[in-house]
Amino acid sequence: MPICALAHETDWTGWRRAARAFVLAGVEPSDLTWTVGGPGEPVPEAEGSFTLSRALVSMAAQAFQAREPERFGLLYTLVWRAHRGGLSLDDPEDPDLRIARRWALAVRADAHRMRTHIRFCPSPADGQPHFLGWYEPDHFVLEGNARLLARRDPAHGFAIVTPEGTAHHDQAGLRFGQGLKDPGDDDTLLAWWEAHRGTILASAGAGGGLPEAEELDEDPRPLDRPPLGPIVLPATQTSATRDLVRDARGCERCVLYAPATQTVFGEGPRNARVMFIGEQPGDQEDIIGRAFVGPAGQLLDQALEEANIDRRLIYITNAVKHFKFTLRGRRRIHQSPSPQEIDICRFWLDAERTAVNPALTVLLGGSAGRAVLGRPVSVMRERGHPFTLPDGGSGFLTVHPSYLLRQPDASSRAREYAMFVRDLRTIRDLINSLSG
């Protein structure tokens, strides 16, 4: 059985060359083993050529960045099948395509989170503007994001440090080197960078040839925006919420569990002082398993950024933990949860709030308001000011970001978005008063 050893986890160029050669050599997917590093067999000489659809290559490039050991073999299977005419990208039930698309969607969401959550601090180098940041991605999205940032803002140098590697961009180009597991804080990160910068750059390479991150989720924020504070390394969940996630995986308290892909709990640092509560997971959240990563989540990220609120410092979740939808052809169309479904799922939300114990709870929309207050709420009448919750904590009600997406025209969206950012700035001031 042939063994193909890639140079590293994101050796896209090596994988493409090997996949093409093995397909042309007639090596079936079940007869080929993929590894990273270590010994392997020479890639056979390719005789002939073939073409793949742009859509398949694009999806494969995204899925290739997923932190899934099986991705090399599954993507090779798709290439093998496409070459032999046995693959239809229009088939929604194809099991290989469903897995690859799920991985690609998770990578896109993680890439977007990286671009919106990372914070840069000034780190001048050789008298030139330079910015340094640290981030821990879920998938191997560093290279694609770094290529996007380097193209979009070529005048500014930057270094993005992750546990598994560093991307460095300056006048000499974009290079990739060793990473740092845990910087602790800004000062530690800066000291480490100054001490190791020369060694890292001396051994840095050009990367694995991954294309830049998808333009669809592009974040237009310039690199020279002032940092919003120290780099904080949040735990995605406390030990208490990890126990809740485990217990809720098999929840069948209401009928929503049956068609949904999975239970979607919240995430945030273990010492979060603020909890944001939305309505329910959407289509992308249901597939990925994380709250607020779809269109509404991306709009929330943008608004939080304008309000100078660091999303990494807040805990964010939903009132209902399963995606409620109706099928329209192949599309899953969002349906609002009923009052009964909100009340049933309050069991999990109450447990989550107890585990996190936030000083301020932000209610995004009517469903979140009902879940916490136990009554129907008029969002437009009650929004925009703090109040005391029944359990004694502080609460704040505003619209759900999906409300902004439903506005009928550009002027309405702009008006409502400005009001939403205004509410978030009020929340920011409340956060600062709590921290003080």
Side-chain angles (χ1 to χ4, degrees):
M1 177 179 290
I3 298 176
C4 182
L6 301 177
H8 46 78
E9 294 283 359
T10 55
D11 186 9
W12 170 247
T13 299
W15 180 86
R16 289 187 67 178
R17 181 174 62 88
R20 175 177 176 271
F22 282 118
V23 166
L24 290 173
V27 179
E28 296 194 17
S30 58
D31 293 336
L32 181 60
T33 299
W34 297 86
T35 65
V36 176
E41 298 180 12
V43 175
E45 291 294 329
E47 297 183 2
S49 62
F50 62 92
T51 59
L52 299 172
S53 71
R54 182 176 180 179
L56 176 58
V57 174
S58 176
M59 180 188 65
Q62 290 179 333
F64 190 84
Q65 301 169 62
R67 198 179 295 273
E68 300 288 346
E70 302 86 4
R71 67 192 185 280
F72 307 123
L74 184 135
L75 295 176
Y76 178 75
T77 298
L78 292 177
V79 173
W80 171 272
R81 291 175 54 194
H83 176 54
R84 281 156 177 74
L87 181 70
S88 172
L89 294 181
D90 296 325
D91 183 1
E93 302 303 323
D94 187 296
D96 293 335
L97 283 173
R98 291 185 68 178
I99 294 172
R101 284 177 173 140
R102 184 173 71 245
W103 291 346
L105 184 59
V107 165
R108 287 179 60 186
D110 193 38
H112 172 78
R113 281 193 300 272
M114 183 177 187
R115 294 195 297 276
T116 55
H117 290 193
I118 194 170
R119 295 294 182 266
F120 290 94
C121 53
S123 173
D126 301 325
Q128 300 296 320
H130 191 273
F131 300 87
L132 177 66
W134 188 92
Y135 187 75
E136 185 172 7
D138 290 334
H139 300 284
F140 300 108
V141 297
L142 172 63
E143 183 175 340
N145 268 335
R147 293 190 188 283
L148 176 63
L149 290 173
R151 177 192 59 79
R152 194 172 60 201
D153 198 356
H156 288 97
F158 64 81
I160 302 174
V161 183
T162 74
E164 293 161 325
T166 293
H168 182 268
H169 174 251
D170 58 19
Q171 294 177 338
L174 182 63
R175 290 161 287 173
F176 299 89
Q178 72 182 69
L180 174 64
K181 291 296 182 185
D182 186 353
D185 55 27
D186 281 2
D187 292 338
T188 303
L189 177 63
L190 286 165
W192 175 85
W193 177 247
E194 289 301 319
H196 295 86
R197 175 174 177 266
T199 303
I200 292 173
L201 296 184
S203 60
L210 278 166
E212 67 180 38
E214 283 292 308
E215 299 285 342
L216 180 63
D217 291 328
E218 201 171 301
D219 169 26
R221 179 167 54 105
L223 283 174
D224 57 354
R225 176 169 292 190
L228 302 185
I231 293 176
V232 180
L233 312 177
T236 53
Q237 292 162 333
T238 67
S239 59
T241 54
R242 281 196 296 269
D243 292 340
L244 289 174
V245 170
R246 182 194 62 227
D247 295 342
R249 284 173 181 163
C251 177
E252 298 181 5
R253 288 174 169 265
C254 73
V255 298
L256 297 184
Y257 82 91
T261 303
Q262 58 189 311
T263 306
V264 181
F265 254 72
E267 62 183 25
R270 60 173 54 92
N271 60 345
R273 300 280 287 160
V274 184
M275 174 183 280
F276 277 63
I277 303 174
E279 181 188 77
Q280 66 168 357
D283 180 76
Q284 293 188 29
E285 289 83 357
D286 176 64
I287 295 172
I288 297 170
R290 301 184 70 177
F292 281 89
V293 296
Q298 294 168 23
L299 186 60
L300 176 62
D301 285 344
Q302 177 183 336
L304 287 171
E305 178 75 15
E306 288 197 30
N308 211 14
I309 297 175
D310 190 340
R311 174 166 168 168
R312 298 171 305 162
L313 303 183
I314 66 177
Y315 191 94
I316 192 160
T317 189
N318 282 299
V320 174
K321 309 305 185 189
H322 285 115
F323 178 35
K324 182 178 181 180
F325 62 90
T326 183
L327 282 174
R328 187 176 300 167
R330 297 176 179 176
R331 298 179 61 202
R332 303 193 301 174
I333 306 301
H334 163 275
Q335 281 190 310
S336 297
S338 68
Q340 292 76 19
E341 289 160 346
I342 294 173
D343 293 343
I344 291 171
C345 208
R346 187 182 296 144
F347 169 86
W348 295 112
L349 181 62
D350 287 347
E352 198 172 21
R353 292 180 63 214
T354 299
V356 178
N357 191 29
L360 175 65
T361 301
V362 179
L363 310 176
L364 300 173
S367 295
R370 178 183 178 88
V372 174
L373 301 177
R375 61 172 176 81
V377 298
S378 173
V379 176
M380 294 306 173
R381 187 176 70 246
E382 301 181 50
R383 70 182 291 187
H385 57 84
F387 53 87
T388 302
L389 295 172
D391 58 11
S394 295
F396 191 97
L397 178 68
T398 186
V399 298
H400 193 284
S402 62
Y403 168 76
L404 310 179
L405 296 174
R406 296 194 299 269
Q407 294 304 302
D409 52 61
S411 61
S412 298
R413 286 191 294 273
R415 181 184 66 250
E416 295 298 334
Y417 179 79
M419 294 177 65
F420 183 54
V421 172
R422 182 194 63 190
D423 284 351
L424 291 179
R425 286 176 175 148
T426 302
I427 293 168
R428 175 202 60 199
D429 294 339
L430 292 171
I431 295 173
N432 290 337
S433 67
L434 290 172
S435 301

